[in-house]
């Protein structure tokens, strides 16, 4: 583990005893550079060098930056455990004003330091890291520091206007429980709820309800954003709209989302949770596309799908399931043996209902039976559970506890998420699931489900394929044994190379690109606007450097960024 960016002065002599002289010198220079900067600024402030209106030191921002080794090491890794980047400090803000003050502090330096907001650190490729800069611990905003660390949730519900105002640091699971107290809930959920509102809104926020309501970013009325110029801006489709549409799905490049006003609907009481097995991809995708065409009453309220590679079913490396029983997993394994297909596919659907009595349950079951008659799943392979709404939505949270207990949660996650156009999904299946990954036995999930593109607002910076329907494909695999990371990364590279060679036309979700040209291709026609907005709202390129889209902080941005000739 690198120690070069540890900035706790007490630790320096101790580190010296265990580090080569060159490494110690590098550590010492970084320590003294960061601490001397803050000391110098305090001196200037005491001398009246800053205008009275400047609130940097009124907020005592420097005192809220932790530079001890434990803090910086903790902020140097994300959920992916693939990329490590140690910051020089970690800000623990008590209000959005602190974040604005930190950014202005950075901009006051001859060479600004980078700033990266971090919620739960659930990124997979270092997107929430700030090498040599300052990470903002967004979760600190949810604490009342004057009441023994008691969590003070910034969640306010309007039952009249059907919205909830939520701090960007809040977890979706807390939003769920708070809104349910009023009989309400947001319309769209990610599969995993123990992540922050600001984090998912900076990326898109997709899930099984997106076919009907669009991603989470399509269900926001208003934002508060701290921009890369240190300004605190409220924005909406009618007010500062360019920032509103830029920040939603903007990968943290234009500002830090500190508040979002999110649309609500009446919350159901219970859910008929369904999985339907298929042995061929045309039937599987055909039924999925039929189901997402039913946007009103009469269909599922949630639609996703999974691909179960047969070797994970038939050769004993499958994990226990929070849905399937052991006998049902045996049934699926027998189906895999019997068909000889490279994969078994299943649609995951959910039908909500509002009553919790026998009449409501019977009515919903009858509605489900009518819907299943329209579908072409393998006979005898429809599996149904009747669960509470919360139990359904927090299903991955329960899986997390099992994986933590087994010691396989905090492991590398070389995930790859793609949006694949409907016109090429069968080709993708043939080349990837029946080709590149055919003989693999991954630990984790492979998701595959369609969404309607007209539920995405094209004014936002999020990139999708051009087809009216496209599929979310998630290779959500974990590295649990020696050599797994390298093997999974080679397979990911082979999938991307296949898509490029065969002109599949896919886009990465939660994207990671190694070059400016890769980013230009990713955003396509949106690139020039994306770069122009970056120049406007983060001209020194200090925000979210882990994305790797723009050059290092302090260089500034020029018109050349938006020009293809510079790529």
């Amino acid at each position: 583990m690198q120690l070069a960016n540890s900035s706790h002065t007490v630790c320096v002599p101790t580190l010296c005893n265990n580090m080569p002289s060159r490494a110690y010198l590098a550590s010492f220079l970084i320590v003294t550079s960061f601490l001397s900067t803050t000391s110098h600024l305090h001196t200037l402030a005491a001398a009246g060098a800053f205008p009275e209106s400047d609130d940097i030191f009124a907020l005592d921002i420097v005192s809220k930056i932790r530079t001890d080794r434990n803090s910086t090491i903790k902020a140097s890794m994300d959920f992916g455990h693939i990329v490590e980047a140690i910051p020089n400090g970690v800000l623990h803000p008590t209000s959005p004003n602190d974040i604005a003050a930190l950014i202005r502090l950075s901009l006051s330096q001859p060479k600004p330091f980078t700033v990266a907001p971090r919620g739960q650190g659930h990124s997979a490729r270092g997107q929430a890291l700030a090498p040599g800069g300052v990470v903002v611990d967004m979760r600190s905003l949810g604490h009342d520091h004057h009441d023994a660390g008691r969590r003070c949730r910034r969640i306010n519900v309007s039952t009249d206007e059907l919205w909830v105002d939520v701090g960007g640091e809040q977890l979706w699971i807390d939003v769920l429980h708070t809104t349910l107290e009023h009989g309400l809930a947001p319309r769209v959920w990610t599969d995993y709820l123990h992540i922050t509102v600001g984090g998912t809104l900076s990326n898109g926020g997709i899930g099984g309800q997106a076919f009907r309501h669009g991603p989470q970013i399509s269900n926001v009325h208003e934002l508060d954003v701290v921009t890369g110029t240190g300004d605190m801006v409220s924005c909406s489709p009618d007010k500062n709209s360019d920032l509103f549409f830029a920040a939603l799905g903007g990968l943290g490049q234009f500002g830090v989302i500190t508040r979002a006003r999110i649309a609500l609907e009446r919350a159901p009481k219970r859910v008929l949770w369904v999985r339907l097995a298929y042995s061929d991809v045309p039937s599987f995708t055909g039924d999925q596309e039929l189901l997402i065409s039913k946007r009103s009453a009469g269909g599922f309220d949630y639609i996703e799908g999974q691909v179960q590679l047969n070797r994970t079913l038939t050769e004993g490396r499958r994990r226990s399931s929070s849905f399937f029983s052991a006998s049902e997993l045996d049934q699926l394994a027998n189906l895999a043996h019997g068909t000889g297909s490279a994969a078994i596919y299943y649609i995951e659907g959910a039908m909500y209902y509002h009553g919790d009595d026998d009449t409501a349950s019977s009515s919903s079951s009858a509605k489900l039976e009518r819907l299943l008659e329209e579908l072409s799943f393998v006979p005898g392979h429809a599996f149904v559970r009747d669960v509470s709404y919360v139990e359904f939505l927090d299903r991955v949270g329960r899986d997390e506890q099992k994986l933590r207990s087994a010691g396989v949660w905090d492991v590398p996650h070389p995930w790859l998420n793609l949006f694949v156009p409907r016109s090429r999904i069968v080709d993708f299946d043939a080349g990837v699931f029946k080709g590149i990954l055919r003989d693999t036995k991954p630990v984790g999930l492979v998701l595959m489900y369609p969404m309607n593109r007209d539920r995405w607002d094209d004014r936002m910076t999020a990139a999708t394929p051009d087809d009216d329907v496209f599929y979310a494909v998630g290779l959500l695999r974990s590295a649990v044994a020696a050599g797994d990371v390298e093997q999974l990364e080679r397979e990911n590279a082979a999938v991307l190379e296949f898509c490029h060679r065969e002109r599949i036309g896919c886009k990465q979700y939660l994207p990671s690109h190694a070059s400016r040209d890769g980013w230009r291709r990713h955003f396509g026609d949106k690139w020039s606007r994306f770069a122009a907005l970056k120049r406007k709202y983060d001209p020194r390129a200090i925000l979210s450097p882990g994305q790797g889209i723009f050059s290092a902080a302090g260089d500034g941005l020029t018109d050349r960024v938006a020009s293809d000739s510079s790529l």
Side-chain angles (χ1 to χ4, degrees):
M1 183 69 68
Q2 292 182 357
L3 301 175
N5 288 341
S6 177
S7 309
H8 196 298
T9 54
V10 175
C11 295
V12 171
T14 302
L15 293 176
C16 180
N17 294 333
N18 300 301
M19 296 174 65
S21 59
R22 181 174 298 177
Y24 170 69
L25 177 60
S27 178
F28 177 77
L29 289 174
I30 292 173
V31 170
T32 55
S33 173
F34 187 78
L35 294 182
S36 65
T37 294
T38 58
S39 176
H40 175 62
L41 289 169
H42 276 300
T43 301
L44 290 176
F50 293 101
E52 292 182 3
S53 61
D54 197 317
D55 59 0
I56 291 177
F57 295 98
L59 291 170
D60 198 18
I61 193 65
V62 173
S63 70
K64 297 175 183 176
I65 301 174
R66 297 182 185 173
T67 58
D68 61 280
R69 180 176 180 271
N70 286 339
S71 294
T72 56
I73 292 297
K74 184 178 179 180
S76 70
M77 191 76 76
D78 60 11
F79 179 73
H81 287 273
I82 302 295
V83 177
E84 178 185 11
I86 302 179
N88 273 346
V90 179
L91 173 71
H92 290 262
T94 57
S95 76
N97 290 320
D98 289 347
I99 301 173
L102 176 73
I103 291 172
R104 291 195 294 272
L105 174 63
S106 172
L107 295 176
S108 72
Q109 303 304 294
K111 185 174 177 63
F113 53 82
T114 56
V115 174
R118 178 190 177 98
Q120 293 293 82
H122 205 70
S123 58
R125 302 280 173 178
Q127 290 93 332
L129 307 184
V134 176
V135 168
V136 179
D137 180 2
M138 295 296 291
R139 295 289 289 148
S140 296
L141 288 173
H143 288 88
D144 183 346
H145 294 269
H146 302 287
D147 192 10
R150 179 179 62 84
R151 183 162 297 286
C152 181
R153 295 198 177 105
R154 301 195 305 142
I155 306 176
N156 300 295
V157 177
S158 171
T159 56
D160 294 331
E161 299 186 49
L162 295 182
W163 50 252
V164 58
D165 268 346
V166 185
E169 77 286 350
Q170 296 298 318
L171 302 183
W172 283 102
I173 186 67
D174 294 329
V175 176
L176 171 63
H177 288 301
T178 302
T179 54
L180 283 178
E181 293 174 2
H182 304 273
L184 301 170
R187 298 183 293 199
V188 182
W189 300 95
T190 53
D191 293 335
Y192 181 57
L193 303 185
H194 298 257
I195 49 180
T196 61
V197 169
T200 66
L201 295 184
S202 294
N203 288 282
I206 62 172
Q209 304 85 2
F211 80 95
R212 178 172 294 161
H213 300 295
Q216 289 177 329
I217 57 176
S218 293
N219 292 270
V220 178
H221 296 315
E222 187 176 286
L223 295 174
D224 284 346
V225 178
V226 181
T227 70
T229 58
D231 296 315
M232 300 174 65
V233 181
S234 293
C235 53
S236 70
D238 302 315
K239 178 183 178 183
N240 299 310
S241 59
D242 62 341
L243 179 60
F244 178 79
F245 292 119
L248 291 169
L251 306 178
Q253 294 302 297
F254 311 104
V256 179
I257 295 174
T258 59
R259 179 187 65 90
R261 178 167 292 179
I262 299 165
L264 300 177
E265 65 179 2
R266 180 187 174 200
K269 295 286 188 180
R270 297 191 65 81
V271 176
L272 292 179
W273 184 10
V274 183
R275 289 189 179 177
L276 312 169
Y278 295 76
S279 59
D280 67 283
V281 75
S283 298
F284 169 65
T285 56
D287 278 1
Q288 282 189 312
E289 290 169 22
L290 171 65
L291 289 168
I292 69 166
S293 71
K294 297 176 180 290
R295 305 193 192 192
S296 57
F300 285 130
D301 298 289
Y302 159 104
I303 299 165
E304 288 194 9
Q306 295 186 24
V307 181
Q308 188 82 56
L309 298 174
N310 278 2
R311 289 188 66 185
T312 64
L313 283 170
T314 60
E315 296 186 15
R317 197 176 175 181
R318 70 191 185 212
R319 65 178 180 87
S320 62
S321 170
S322 60
F323 182 92
F324 292 117
S325 67
S327 61
E328 288 169 340
L329 286 172
D330 288 339
Q331 187 178 352
L332 291 170
N334 290 334
L335 177 62
H337 273 302
T339 62
S341 173
I344 295 299
Y345 309 84
Y346 49 85
I347 290 175
E348 181 174 61
M351 186 172 285
Y352 300 161
Y353 64 99
H354 292 277
D356 53 8
D357 54 18
D358 291 342
T359 300
S361 177
S362 298
S363 175
S364 297
S365 295
K367 178 182 172 182
L368 174 62
E369 288 298 324
R370 291 193 295 271
L371 179 62
L372 295 186
E373 289 175 358
E374 301 180 44
L375 306 178
S376 303
F377 56 90
V378 177
H381 288 74
F383 308 92
V384 183
R385 306 284 183 267
D386 190 328
V387 299
S388 72
Y389 183 55
V390 172
E391 184 179 354
F392 170 68
L393 289 181
D394 197 29
R395 60 199 180 277
V396 180
R398 295 192 304 278
D399 283 345
E400 175 190 356
Q401 296 308 312
K402 295 178 182 178
L403 293 171
R404 284 189 183 278
S405 297
V408 290
W409 179 261
D410 291 317
V411 298
H413 300 92
W415 288 2
L416 178 63
N417 290 276
L418 300 172
F419 289 158
V420 181
R422 171 175 60 180
S423 59
R424 301 302 304 277
I425 193 64
V426 173
D427 298 327
F428 181 91
D429 172 78
V432 176
F433 299 129
K434 295 182 175 66
I436 296 168
L437 303 181
R438 179 183 180 91
D439 295 323
T440 63
K441 296 184 292 183
V443 174
L445 295 175
V446 177
L447 301 179
M448 178 173 161
Y449 61 92
M451 290 179 280
N452 293 303
R453 189 174 183 272
D454 65 2
R455 290 298 185 258
W456 292 65
D457 193 324
D458 204 43
R459 291 172 293 180
M460 297 176 184
T461 51
T464 66
D466 294 331
D467 282 19
D468 291 341
V469 171
F470 60 87
Y471 279 75
V473 178
L475 306 182
L476 310 184
R477 304 176 297 169
S478 301
V480 298
D484 277 0
V485 171
E486 294 77 12
Q487 178 62 32
L488 293 173
E489 291 286 61
R490 284 194 295 270
E491 291 167 4
N492 287 342
V495 170
L496 292 172
E497 195 280 329
F498 165 80
C499 291
H500 178 71
R501 183 181 69 247
E502 299 298 323
R503 301 180 182 273
I504 297 296
C506 63
K507 298 284 188 181
Q508 287 190 42
Y509 177 64
L510 310 178
S512 176
H513 294 283
S515 69
R516 178 70 56 77
D517 190 54
W519 284 109
R520 183 186 61 80
R521 290 196 305 270
H522 173 79
F523 287 109
D525 293 341
K526 294 184 177 183
W527 171 251
S528 294
R529 180 163 60 94
F530 189 91
L533 289 165
K534 181 69 171 180
R535 293 197 303 276
K536 179 177 180 180
Y537 289 110
D538 184 21
R540 303 300 297 274
I542 68 171
L543 295 177
S544 298
Q547 296 285 358
I549 304 175
F550 295 101
S551 56
D555 295 342
L557 298 175
T558 68
D559 290 339
R560 293 182 68 251
V561 170
S563 171
D564 285 355
S565 63
S566 69
L567 302 174

